[in-house]
Amino acid sequence: MNEILEIRDLKTYFHTDDGIAKAVDGVSFKLHKGETLGIVGESGCGKSVTALSILKLLPEGIGKIESGKIIFDGKDLTAMNGDEIRRIRGNRIGMIFQEPMTSLNPAYTCGSQIMEVFRTHMNISAKEAREKTIEIMKRVRIPSPEQRFDEYPHQLSGGLRQRVMIAIALACKPDVLIADEPTTALDVTVQSRILGLIKELQEESGMSVMLITHDLGVVAETCGRVVVMYASKIAEEGLIDEIFRNPKHPYTKRLLESIPSMKEQRDKLPTIEGTVPSSLNYPAGCRFRTRCLIADGECEAEPPDIKITETHFASCFKIKL
C-alpha cells in the first residue's frame, strides 16, 4: 500500500516565556492511501500539534517546525511558502477541528463559511458556490440545507455544527482528512452517526483518514492501524489487532486496561498514576518511566525502537519478544 503522507522525524517546538516546549519531538509515521490511521494518547501528548504542523497552522511567532519533513504526495510541506500551503490546505488536505463552536466563525452564517472553501479553491461564481454548498450539506445529511445555509453556528445543535465542519473539510474532495477529536462533547448516539458518516464518505471517495482521539473504543471500531503517542513521542505503532491483542509498551497496556469491559466486572477501573510530564521539562530517557510500574535504572537512557513484526514497533527496554 502506497503512502499519501509521511512524517519524518518531525520536531515542533513552542517558544514561550517559560522556555521551549517540545510539543512534538521526533515523530515519524506514514499514512497509506485509503486507510484510517488512529493517533491516540492522553491530552498533552502532541497529537493535535502533529496535525496542525502538517497544515502549518501553528501560532505565528510561537510555534515552529524545528526540523523534520512532512511529505505529501511526494512534496515536502515544510518547504512550502504561504501561498503554496494555502493551495493544499482545505483543498487536498481537509481538517475537522476539535470544537466546532469555537472553530466556526459566529459572525458568519454556516452556508457562507462552507461557500468560502469553494470560492477560495475553485474559479466559480457565487451562485455556483451556493449550489455546491447546498449539495455538500445534503451529502453530510444536514436537514433542510436551504434553511440551515442562512443560520448561524449558535442556532445549530452540536451534531449539526460538527456536520458543518465535516462539510467544510470535505468540500473539495481532499485526498487526506485529518479528524481531530471529531466526536468531542457529543452524546454517544451522535458520536456513532458522525463516525459512520466519515466512514461512509471515505468509502465513497477513497480518501485517507487520520483520526486523532483519546477514545480507544472509537479506534477499535474505525481504524486499521494505530499510533500511540506519549509525551511528544511515539510509544508504539501497529495494526489494530496487534495493538489490542498483543500490546508491548507498558503505556499501551495501561491504556487498554482502563477500558471498561462487559465481560469483566470491576468495582474500580485501573488508572495510570500521575500525569503526562510538562513538555518544558521532560525526564531523561524513557518519558513514561516516572509513571511506569516496571521502570528501573536502565530506563534512564533513551529507549530503543523494537521491531516486533513487519508492522508492529514499540520503544521500550522491557519488551520481550
Side-chain angles (χ1 to χ4, degrees):
M1 217 170 7
N2 296 327
E3 62 267 10
I4 184 70
L5 182 70
E6 181 180 0
I7 312 297
R8 298 180 186 169
D9 196 25
L10 178 66
K11 295 184 179 181
T12 300
Y13 296 171
F14 289 99
H15 297 260
T16 72
D17 293 338
D18 296 323
I20 297 176
K22 298 179 179 180
V24 178
D25 198 19
V27 165
S28 300
F29 62 85
K30 296 177 181 179
L31 176 67
H32 299 132
K33 292 180 179 178
E35 80 163 336
T36 300
L37 174 68
I39 311 290
V40 302
E42 294 169 274
S43 297
C45 286
K47 307 185 301 296
S48 294
V49 177
T50 299
L52 294 174
S53 299
I54 293 170
L55 291 175
K56 299 180 82 170
L57 289 173
L58 301 167
E60 191 172 348
I62 301 175
K64 182 183 177 183
I65 297 175
E66 299 288 338
S67 62
K69 294 181 182 294
I70 302 171
I71 309 299
F72 171 68
D73 200 17
K75 297 179 181 178
D76 185 6
L77 300 183
T78 65
M80 291 185 177
N81 60 34
D83 289 337
E84 290 173 325
I85 196 67
R86 275 190 287 274
R87 285 194 286 270
I88 298 288
R89 187 192 298 149
N91 184 18
R92 298 198 62 196
I93 303 178
M95 183 165 178
I96 304 171
F97 295 92
Q98 279 193 36
E99 294 288 348
M101 196 60 203
T102 54
S103 299
L104 293 171
N105 192 323
Y108 292 90
T109 64
C110 295
S112 65
Q113 294 185 63
I114 302 172
M115 262 184 69
E116 184 181 4
V117 182
F118 293 115
R119 297 301 301 274
T120 299
H121 295 292
M122 299 181 183
N123 185 24
I124 58 177
S125 67
K127 181 181 178 182
E128 289 175 299
R130 182 183 175 90
E131 290 172 354
K132 284 185 173 293
T133 298
I134 297 296
E135 182 183 327
I136 191 68
M137 291 175 80
K138 289 178 180 177
R139 191 177 176 211
V140 299
R141 298 198 185 91
I142 295 175
S144 307
E146 292 83 359
Q147 174 189 333
R148 304 296 185 188
F149 184 99
D150 295 315
E151 293 182 345
Y152 292 87
H154 73 271
Q155 294 177 280
L156 304 185
S157 67
L160 285 181
R161 286 196 294 267
Q162 195 63 283
R163 287 173 190 263
V164 171
M165 288 295 302
I166 294 173
I168 291 171
L170 298 181
C172 292
K173 299 180 180 178
D175 300 298
V176 172
L177 174 66
I178 301 172
D180 189 3
E181 301 280 6
T183 57
T184 297
L186 300 178
D187 63 56
V188 176
T189 304
V190 178
Q191 280 187 33
S192 178
R193 289 173 183 166
I194 293 295
L195 292 170
L197 175 61
I198 292 173
K199 185 175 179 62
E200 183 180 320
L201 295 172
Q202 178 190 23
E203 290 172 349
E204 286 178 13
S205 64
M207 67 181 174
S208 304
V209 176
M210 184 188 301
L211 178 64
I212 298 171
T213 181
H214 60 268
D215 190 332
L216 287 166
V218 167
V219 169
E221 292 177 13
T222 59
C223 299
R225 281 193 309 126
V226 187
V227 169
V228 181
M229 290 188 68
Y230 182 78
S232 307
K233 287 183 175 289
I234 292 177
E236 189 164 1
E237 176 184 348
L239 299 176
I240 192 75
D241 284 348
E242 292 172 328
I243 295 296
F244 276 76
R245 296 184 181 181
N246 188 31
K248 290 296 185 181
H249 197 284
Y251 178 60
T252 309
K253 292 178 180 179
R254 298 297 302 280
L255 283 179
L256 291 171
E257 287 172 0
S258 67
I259 301 176
S261 172
M262 294 295 290
K263 296 179 181 178
E264 184 180 353
Q265 300 296 321
R266 292 177 287 188
D267 294 331
K268 186 178 180 182
L269 284 173
T271 59
I272 305 175
E273 297 298 327
T275 58
V276 179
S278 169
S279 58
L280 292 165
N281 187 29
Y282 283 132
C286 176
R287 294 179 178 178
F288 186 60
R289 66 181 177 85
T290 56
R291 305 171 70 192
C292 183
L293 299 177
I294 59 173
D296 56 24
E298 182 182 38
C299 302
E300 294 179 11
E302 193 68 25
D305 290 325
I306 305 296
K307 181 180 178 181
I308 296 109
T309 70
E310 290 298 320
T311 53
H312 191 184
F313 305 87
S315 180
C316 180
F317 282 106
K318 306 301 179 184
I319 293 173
K320 296 180 181 179
L321 299 178

